[in-house]
Each structure stands twice: as structure tokens, then as C-alpha cells.
Amino acid sequence: MSTPDAALALLIAGGICDAIAIERARGMARESGLSVTQALVQLGLVSERMLAENWAAMLDFSITTAESYPHEPLLPDRLRPRFLRAARVLPVAIVPGRNILVLAMADPLDRFSAAAISLATGLETQIEVAIPIELEAALDRLYPEAETEAAPPDHAATEDDAERLKDMASEAPVIRLVNAIIAKAVETSASDIHIEPFEDRVRIRYRYDGELQDAETQPAHLAPAIISRLKILARLDIAERRLPQDGRIRIAVRGQDVVFRIATAPGLHGEILVLRVLDRSAISFDYVAQGHDAQVIERLNTALAAPNGIMLVTGPTGSGKTTTLYTALLSLNAEGVKIITVEDPIEYQLPGVNQIQVRPQIGLGFATLLRSIVRLDPNVIMVGEIRDLETAEIAARAALTGHLVLSTLHTNSAAAAITRLRDMGLEDYLLSAVLRGVLAQRLVRRLCDACKTSAPTPPDLARRYGFTGAEIWRACGCSACRNTGYRGRQAIAEFLLPDAEIERLIVTGADQASIERAAVAGGMKTMLHNGLEAAARGETTLEEILRAVRAEE
């Protein structure tokens, strides 16, 4: 059996893919000229990392770690960047005293490239298996000029020439650069990509677990080409650089179908662009996986079981409100239930759910759509956000006429949602009649299980916050969490379930503090309480909880 066939057999034997998947890949390989293993990756049947691990196991090679790549190019006078990119290989080390050059190779079966490098350098070669995303990142870092060789130096000229921008955006180096930026974001589980042009550079940053991190910089004259390439992918107007634009991109990243939401705005040195990564495979539509407390889940399910009424999810921007609502909708989605959503924007497509995009530019706002979809006889309606009295009143009337309405508000606590609706102008009697529950939530960073450490809880800290844990957990930092000490995020929340006393307080116009006290007296665990419990379990830190809920020191 040949080595490629042995590699495919190993994938089948390991249960990574089956013979049918192999045949699909063979068909694609014949049509595209790719190898069968590359076709498996393109089809999303095998991940690059999984494939690399299997190459290493079969050939008894080591895998090149991200930390192993050199800080400076090795033997730059003998090895050209163009050859290294084409062969997907990079020298990573010279073994002292042994005349051996260690090569990181995306395709360890490429004996020709290894032999060519040996001939060019006069050194024997030792092959390691590279993870392609890490190899490409190292090539971009060590040989940035390879990405800029087709870019013209005259920045001002490109700004005024839309046709030239289109040509630049279609150049292979720019396409490779944009593809690498996008692929790295998906591979490293970033939630956003920020591309920010300045006078002397283009700064590229990724957002991980709610925190921005610098990734790389590119020459300033590349900004128009990078932005134009992304606008072309999103089918935006590349000639319009004076007004904000937004759109969506759906592309296959390393064989995985991923959607990106794109937004642009004019800046001092060019357009600022942000890509939100809407990778459904990275999102868990499960309350427990999201970190919700058992009481919150129980109360949430109670509110969702109501035949009609309004349930609200509140919190600041980026607190996971939409993910919680999508999880609720999927739990309600059944053959006998018709669900319609009105969103701005639609972040994820939900199977079996009718989703409508708000279009304010043609007069299609939340209130207009909400008024119309009630006539479509839905059982459940989701309104992306209640922003004004008109939308609040229509939602309340829909709830009174037998619909279950889910929506969001921007408030700091569950009780504050009631006073917010009152401030909008919604009548107290109407609010008390339709409100079924309010979930307030925040997102906090999860501690990295690989490096978190514990220490005894200081007595003054325990007294100040009522912390019951015998030890507190702290973030350290390691390669698994990009040296941040945190890996992923989870929700901390509180759920206000109206009882007779709270309904009485709403009707009598009681303030937020009174309503919150009554909710706690009725058994509601506050967001701070649930957060402290999560910290005691070692899921996050006290600093994260106090930052998220803005507790008084």
C-alpha cells in the first residue's frame, strides 16, 4: 500500500472519516487537482490539526509547535520566500553540531521540496509536521515583503481610483493575506477581527473572550486593498468610502462554512472595518454549557412554558442576550409551533424558524414588522430589541392576544427592565398583565483549566462579599490560553419571575429598588450571588465577577 493510501486507511481506522467521505474527496481531487487529503479538508470532513496529528502518528514525526518557529528567517540568502510559500515549508532550526536543518512541512510526504532544500543549503533535512494555520502565520511574520510585492507604493493614487482598488484586491498576495487573517480568526476562536488604518501602518486585532489583542501590522499602503477585498467578498460598494456600510460574507474557511458580519466606517486614514465571526460550530445553544445557574434555567423554562406574555433578556451590548434567546427559540421549536423573529441583524440562521431582517432605510423597522407579523398567526415572536414605546405597545398587545413574545432591553438588572419600560411610556397595568419574566445577564471569562491556581480566601474579602469558598482561584497564563489565564466565556445571570407581590408593586408604580428587594425575598438569586458561586467553583475569578456586575468595593 502506498504512503498516501496508508494515510487514508489510518483516517478510516481511527474513525475520523469513513470510506464514503474518502470517495467524496477523491471525486473533488480529480476535478480540482488537489490531493485527496487536501480535498478532505476543503470539504470540512477532516480538520487540518486532525490531519497533521495523523500524519505525525503514521510517519513517526514530531509536530511543530507554535513556539518552535524562529524569530528571524533561517538561511534567507539560500531560500526564497516564494518557494517556501509554494511548497508550504519553513526551516525552523539547525541542529547544533549535526549539520541537520529541521523543516516544518504542511505536506510531510513532499520529498521533492525537502530534497531541494537540502541541495540548496548543503544540509541534511529532518521533517516535522506543521499545522497549516501556524505555518502560514509564521511565513507572514518572517517574510512580510512576500505579501506586499504586488502592492503599489502610491497610497494616495489608490484611494482615488476604484478600478485600481478592485485590481489590487484581486491580486494573489492580497487574497492570500486576507484569507490568512480570516483563517487565523476562525482557527483561534476569535469573535471579531478589527482592521484599523493609521498613518504609518494597518493594525489588525482579534477579540478573544471579550478582550482585544494585537495580532499583526501591515504597511499603510495595503489598507485600501485589504478593505476593498473584504468589501468585494461582502458585495459592498468599494467606491463608496465616505459612508458606513454593512453586509455579510459566507465563505469556507479550511473546509468549514463560516459567516461573517462586516461593518465599515470612514476614518481619518481610511475606512475602519470590523468583522464579527458568526461561527455556529463555536457557539453552544445549551443553557448549562453557557454557564447558567440551575435556578435561572428552571425559571427560564417556566416563563417559556407560558402560552402568552412577554419574556425579556437584558444586559449591555455583547452580554450574550441573542445567544440566550436563540437557545430559548430552539427549545420551543417544534412541528406544531410557528416562530417568527424580527432581528437587526440576523446573526445565526435557525432551522425551522422564520427570520426577518429589519431594513430601516426602506421604512421596515421593528414596530412596522411586528405589526405585520402578528397577522401571520405565529405562536412565538422574537423581537431583536424593544427600543421605543411603539414597539413596546405592539409587543404588549401581541402578548395579550395569545402570543409569546421574546425580546431584549439594555438595562443593568432584571428589576431595571420594569422601570425602563415604564420610562418609555408603557402603562403599569399593561406591563403587569403581560410580563412573564426578566433575565439579566453578563459574560465573564472562564479560567483556563490548564493553568489556574488556588489560594486561601482572604477573610476581609469573604466578609465584604459574603464569599463562602474556602479558596479563591487566580488566572496564571499558558500556551493553551494565549498567556491570558482565561479560555472562553460563560454567563452569570439573575431571573426575575413575577409573583403576586411584584405584580402589585408594578401596578402601584414602585421603584426599581423595591421591586428588586421583593424579588430577592421571593427567592431570586442575584447576579452577584450566582457569580460568587461560579467563582467558588473555580470557573472564574472574583475580579471578573466584580468587573461584570460593577459591585461596590
Side-chain angles (χ1 to χ4, degrees), residues 192-223:
D192 302 86
I193 307 169
H194 291 245
I195 300 175
E196 303 159 323
F198 293 93
E199 184 177 10
D200 58 342
R201 72 193 192 284
V202 181
R203 181 169 65 174
I204 298 171
R205 296 192 286 177
Y206 298 110
R207 190 180 294 279
Y208 298 104
D209 304 331
E211 303 289 327
L212 279 172
Q213 290 186 13
D214 281 332
E216 56 189 279
T217 60
Q218 295 293 333
H221 65 258
L222 270 183

Short mmCIF file of all heavy atoms in Angstrom, two decimals, residues 192-223:
data_model
loop_
_atom_site.label_atom_id
_atom_site.label_comp_id
_atom_site.label_asym_id
_atom_site.label_seq_id
_atom_site.Cartn_x
_atom_site.Cartn_y
_atom_site.Cartn_z
N ASP A 192 -14.13 38.54 16.85
CA ASP A 192 -14.14 39.70 15.96
C ASP A 192 -12.75 39.92 15.38
O ASP A 192 -11.73 39.57 16.01
CB ASP A 192 -14.53 40.99 16.72
CG ASP A 192 -15.89 40.90 17.37
OD1 ASP A 192 -15.97 40.42 18.51
OD2 ASP A 192 -16.87 41.30 16.74
N ILE A 193 -12.72 40.51 14.19
CA ILE A 193 -11.47 40.97 13.57
C ILE A 193 -11.60 42.48 13.37
O ILE A 193 -12.56 42.95 12.75
CB ILE A 193 -11.24 40.30 12.20
CG1 ILE A 193 -11.33 38.78 12.30
CG2 ILE A 193 -9.90 40.72 11.62
CD1 ILE A 193 -11.36 38.09 10.95
N HIS A 194 -10.65 43.24 13.89
CA HIS A 194 -10.66 44.70 13.76
C HIS A 194 -9.50 45.11 12.84
O HIS A 194 -8.34 44.80 13.12
CB HIS A 194 -10.49 45.37 15.13
CG HIS A 194 -11.68 45.19 16.02
ND1 HIS A 194 -12.47 46.23 16.44
CD2 HIS A 194 -12.23 44.07 16.57
CE1 HIS A 194 -13.44 45.77 17.21
NE2 HIS A 194 -13.31 44.46 17.31
N ILE A 195 -9.82 45.80 11.76
CA ILE A 195 -8.82 46.29 10.82
C ILE A 195 -8.86 47.81 10.86
O ILE A 195 -9.87 48.42 10.47
CB ILE A 195 -9.08 45.74 9.41
CG1 ILE A 195 -9.01 44.20 9.44
CG2 ILE A 195 -8.07 46.30 8.42
CD1 ILE A 195 -9.37 43.54 8.14
N GLU A 196 -7.76 48.41 11.33
CA GLU A 196 -7.74 49.84 11.62
C GLU A 196 -6.56 50.51 10.94
O GLU A 196 -5.41 50.29 11.33
CB GLU A 196 -7.66 50.05 13.14
CG GLU A 196 -8.79 49.38 13.90
CD GLU A 196 -8.48 49.14 15.36
OE1 GLU A 196 -7.32 48.82 15.69
OE2 GLU A 196 -9.40 49.27 16.18
N PRO A 197 -6.80 51.32 9.91
CA PRO A 197 -5.69 52.01 9.22
C PRO A 197 -5.22 53.24 9.99
O PRO A 197 -6.04 54.03 10.49
CB PRO A 197 -6.30 52.39 7.87
CG PRO A 197 -7.76 52.47 8.12
CD PRO A 197 -8.08 51.53 9.23
N PHE A 198 -3.92 53.39 10.10
CA PHE A 198 -3.31 54.58 10.69
C PHE A 198 -2.33 55.17 9.67
O PHE A 198 -2.13 54.61 8.59
CB PHE A 198 -2.60 54.24 12.00
CG PHE A 198 -3.54 53.83 13.10
CD1 PHE A 198 -3.84 52.49 13.32
CD2 PHE A 198 -4.14 54.79 13.90
CE1 PHE A 198 -4.72 52.12 14.32
CE2 PHE A 198 -5.02 54.42 14.91
CZ PHE A 198 -5.31 53.09 15.12
N GLU A 199 -1.73 56.28 10.02
CA GLU A 199 -0.86 56.97 9.07
C GLU A 199 0.33 56.11 8.64
O GLU A 199 0.73 56.14 7.47
CB GLU A 199 -0.36 58.28 9.69
CG GLU A 199 0.47 59.12 8.74
CD GLU A 199 0.89 60.44 9.36
OE1 GLU A 199 0.70 60.61 10.59
OE2 GLU A 199 1.41 61.29 8.63
N ASP A 200 0.88 55.33 9.59
CA ASP A 200 2.10 54.59 9.29
C ASP A 200 1.92 53.08 9.23
O ASP A 200 2.86 52.34 8.98
CB ASP A 200 3.16 54.90 10.36
CG ASP A 200 2.67 54.57 11.76
OD1 ASP A 200 1.44 54.41 11.95
OD2 ASP A 200 3.51 54.45 12.68
N ARG A 201 0.70 52.58 9.44
CA ARG A 201 0.50 51.13 9.46
C ARG A 201 -0.99 50.80 9.41
O ARG A 201 -1.83 51.68 9.58
CB ARG A 201 1.11 50.52 10.72
CG ARG A 201 0.34 50.84 11.99
CD ARG A 201 1.12 50.50 13.23
NE ARG A 201 0.33 50.53 14.44
CZ ARG A 201 -0.06 51.62 15.08
NH1 ARG A 201 0.27 52.81 14.59
NH2 ARG A 201 -0.76 51.55 16.18
N VAL A 202 -1.26 49.51 9.19
CA VAL A 202 -2.61 48.97 9.36
C VAL A 202 -2.56 48.02 10.54
O VAL A 202 -1.81 47.03 10.52
CB VAL A 202 -3.10 48.21 8.10
CG1 VAL A 202 -4.51 47.69 8.33
CG2 VAL A 202 -3.05 49.10 6.88
N ARG A 203 -3.31 48.35 11.58
CA ARG A 203 -3.32 47.49 12.76
C ARG A 203 -4.45 46.47 12.65
O ARG A 203 -5.59 46.83 12.36
CB ARG A 203 -3.49 48.31 14.04
CG ARG A 203 -3.49 47.44 15.30
CD ARG A 203 -3.40 48.25 16.57
NE ARG A 203 -4.57 49.08 16.78
CZ ARG A 203 -4.77 49.79 17.90
NH1 ARG A 203 -3.86 49.80 18.86
NH2 ARG A 203 -5.86 50.51 18.04
N ILE A 204 -4.12 45.20 12.91
CA ILE A 204 -5.11 44.13 12.88
C ILE A 204 -5.18 43.53 14.28
O ILE A 204 -4.16 43.13 14.84
CB ILE A 204 -4.74 43.06 11.84
CG1 ILE A 204 -4.71 43.69 10.44
CG2 ILE A 204 -5.73 41.89 11.89
CD1 ILE A 204 -4.15 42.80 9.38
N ARG A 205 -6.39 43.52 14.82
CA ARG A 205 -6.58 42.99 16.17
C ARG A 205 -7.71 41.96 16.16
O ARG A 205 -8.66 42.07 15.40
CB ARG A 205 -6.92 44.12 17.16
CG ARG A 205 -5.80 45.13 17.34
CD ARG A 205 -6.05 46.04 18.52
NE ARG A 205 -7.09 47.03 18.25
CZ ARG A 205 -7.54 47.90 19.14
NH1 ARG A 205 -7.06 47.90 20.36
NH2 ARG A 205 -8.46 48.79 18.81
N TYR A 206 -7.59 40.98 17.06
CA TYR A 206 -8.63 39.98 17.24
C TYR A 206 -9.20 40.12 18.64
O TYR A 206 -8.49 40.48 19.58
CB TYR A 206 -8.07 38.56 17.08
CG TYR A 206 -7.51 38.26 15.71
CD1 TYR A 206 -6.13 38.11 15.52
CD2 TYR A 206 -8.34 38.12 14.61
CE1 TYR A 206 -5.61 37.83 14.27
CE2 TYR A 206 -7.83 37.85 13.35
CZ TYR A 206 -6.46 37.70 13.19
OH TYR A 206 -5.95 37.44 11.94
N ARG A 207 -10.49 39.84 18.76
CA ARG A 207 -11.12 39.87 20.09
C ARG A 207 -11.30 38.45 20.59
O ARG A 207 -11.95 37.63 19.93
CB ARG A 207 -12.48 40.59 20.05
CG ARG A 207 -13.04 40.84 21.45
CD ARG A 207 -14.39 41.55 21.40
NE ARG A 207 -14.33 42.89 20.87
CZ ARG A 207 -13.98 43.96 21.57
NH1 ARG A 207 -13.62 43.82 22.84
NH2 ARG A 207 -13.98 45.15 21.02
N TYR A 208 -10.70 38.16 21.74
CA TYR A 208 -10.82 36.86 22.38
C TYR A 208 -11.48 37.04 23.74
O TYR A 208 -11.01 37.84 24.56
CB TYR A 208 -9.45 36.21 22.59
CG TYR A 208 -8.68 35.92 21.31
CD1 TYR A 208 -7.62 36.72 20.92
CD2 TYR A 208 -9.02 34.83 20.52
CE1 TYR A 208 -6.91 36.44 19.76
CE2 TYR A 208 -8.31 34.54 19.36
CZ TYR A 208 -7.27 35.36 18.99
OH TYR A 208 -6.57 35.09 17.84
N ASP A 209 -12.55 36.31 23.98
CA ASP A 209 -13.21 36.33 25.29
C ASP A 209 -13.52 37.76 25.73
O ASP A 209 -13.38 38.11 26.90
CB ASP A 209 -12.35 35.63 26.35
CG ASP A 209 -12.00 34.21 25.95
OD1 ASP A 209 -12.79 33.59 25.23
OD2 ASP A 209 -10.92 33.73 26.36
N GLY A 210 -13.90 38.60 24.78
CA GLY A 210 -14.27 39.97 25.08
C GLY A 210 -13.14 40.96 25.14
O GLY A 210 -13.36 42.16 25.27
N GLU A 211 -11.88 40.49 25.02
CA GLU A 211 -10.71 41.37 25.12
C GLU A 211 -9.99 41.43 23.77
O GLU A 211 -9.75 40.40 23.14
CB GLU A 211 -9.74 40.86 26.19
CG GLU A 211 -10.34 40.71 27.58
CD GLU A 211 -10.61 42.06 28.23
OE1 GLU A 211 -9.84 43.00 27.95
OE2 GLU A 211 -11.59 42.15 29.00
N LEU A 212 -9.62 42.65 23.35
CA LEU A 212 -8.89 42.81 22.10
C LEU A 212 -7.40 42.52 22.29
O LEU A 212 -6.82 42.91 23.29
CB LEU A 212 -9.06 44.23 21.56
CG LEU A 212 -10.35 44.54 20.80
CD1 LEU A 212 -10.45 46.02 20.52
CD2 LEU A 212 -10.42 43.75 19.50
N GLN A 213 -6.82 41.84 21.29
CA GLN A 213 -5.38 41.55 21.32
C GLN A 213 -4.79 41.90 19.97
O GLN A 213 -5.34 41.55 18.92
CB GLN A 213 -5.12 40.07 21.62
CG GLN A 213 -5.46 39.65 23.04
CD GLN A 213 -5.04 38.21 23.30
OE1 GLN A 213 -4.31 37.60 22.54
NE2 GLN A 213 -5.50 37.67 24.41
N ASP A 214 -3.64 42.60 19.99
CA ASP A 214 -2.94 42.89 18.74
C ASP A 214 -2.48 41.59 18.11
O ASP A 214 -1.93 40.71 18.78
CB ASP A 214 -1.72 43.78 19.00
CG ASP A 214 -2.12 45.25 19.19
OD1 ASP A 214 -3.14 45.64 18.61
OD2 ASP A 214 -1.41 45.97 19.89
N ALA A 215 -2.68 41.50 16.79
CA ALA A 215 -2.26 40.30 16.07
C ALA A 215 -1.07 40.59 15.18
O ALA A 215 -0.06 39.91 15.22
CB ALA A 215 -3.42 39.75 15.24
N GLU A 216 -1.17 41.62 14.36
CA GLU A 216 -0.09 41.93 13.42
C GLU A 216 -0.32 43.33 12.88
O GLU A 216 -1.38 43.93 13.08
CB GLU A 216 -0.09 40.91 12.28
CG GLU A 216 -1.43 40.84 11.55
CD GLU A 216 -1.49 39.69 10.57
OE1 GLU A 216 -0.96 39.88 9.46
OE2 GLU A 216 -2.06 38.64 10.91
N THR A 217 0.66 43.83 12.18
CA THR A 217 0.52 45.09 11.45
C THR A 217 0.93 44.85 10.00
O THR A 217 1.70 43.95 9.70
CB THR A 217 1.39 46.20 12.06
OG1 THR A 217 2.76 45.80 11.99
CG2 THR A 217 1.00 46.48 13.50
N GLN A 218 0.37 45.66 9.12
CA GLN A 218 0.71 45.62 7.71
C GLN A 218 1.08 47.03 7.26
O GLN A 218 0.70 48.02 7.92
CB GLN A 218 -0.48 45.10 6.90
CG GLN A 218 -0.86 43.65 7.18
CD GLN A 218 0.20 42.66 6.76
OE1 GLN A 218 0.99 42.92 5.84
NE2 GLN A 218 0.25 41.51 7.44
N PRO A 219 1.82 47.16 6.16
CA PRO A 219 2.16 48.50 5.67
C PRO A 219 0.91 49.33 5.37
O PRO A 219 -0.11 48.81 4.95
CB PRO A 219 2.94 48.20 4.37
CG PRO A 219 3.46 46.82 4.55
CD PRO A 219 2.43 46.09 5.36
N ALA A 220 1.01 50.63 5.60
CA ALA A 220 -0.15 51.52 5.45
C ALA A 220 -0.74 51.50 4.05
O ALA A 220 -1.95 51.60 3.88
CB ALA A 220 0.25 52.95 5.84
N HIS A 221 0.12 51.35 3.02
CA HIS A 221 -0.41 51.41 1.67
C HIS A 221 -1.23 50.18 1.29
O HIS A 221 -1.87 50.16 0.25
CB HIS A 221 0.74 51.61 0.65
CG HIS A 221 1.70 50.47 0.57
ND1 HIS A 221 2.94 50.50 1.18
CD2 HIS A 221 1.61 49.26 -0.03
CE1 HIS A 221 3.58 49.36 0.94
NE2 HIS A 221 2.79 48.60 0.20
N LEU A 222 -1.23 49.14 2.17
CA LEU A 222 -2.05 47.96 1.90
C LEU A 222 -3.49 48.13 2.37
O LEU A 222 -4.34 47.32 2.02
CB LEU A 222 -1.45 46.74 2.59
CG LEU A 222 -0.43 45.93 1.79
CD1 LEU A 222 0.00 44.71 2.59
CD2 LEU A 222 -1.01 45.49 0.45
N ALA A 223 -3.78 49.17 3.16
CA ALA A 223 -5.11 49.34 3.73
C ALA A 223 -6.22 49.33 2.68
O ALA A 223 -7.20 48.60 2.82
CB ALA A 223 -5.18 50.61 4.58
#
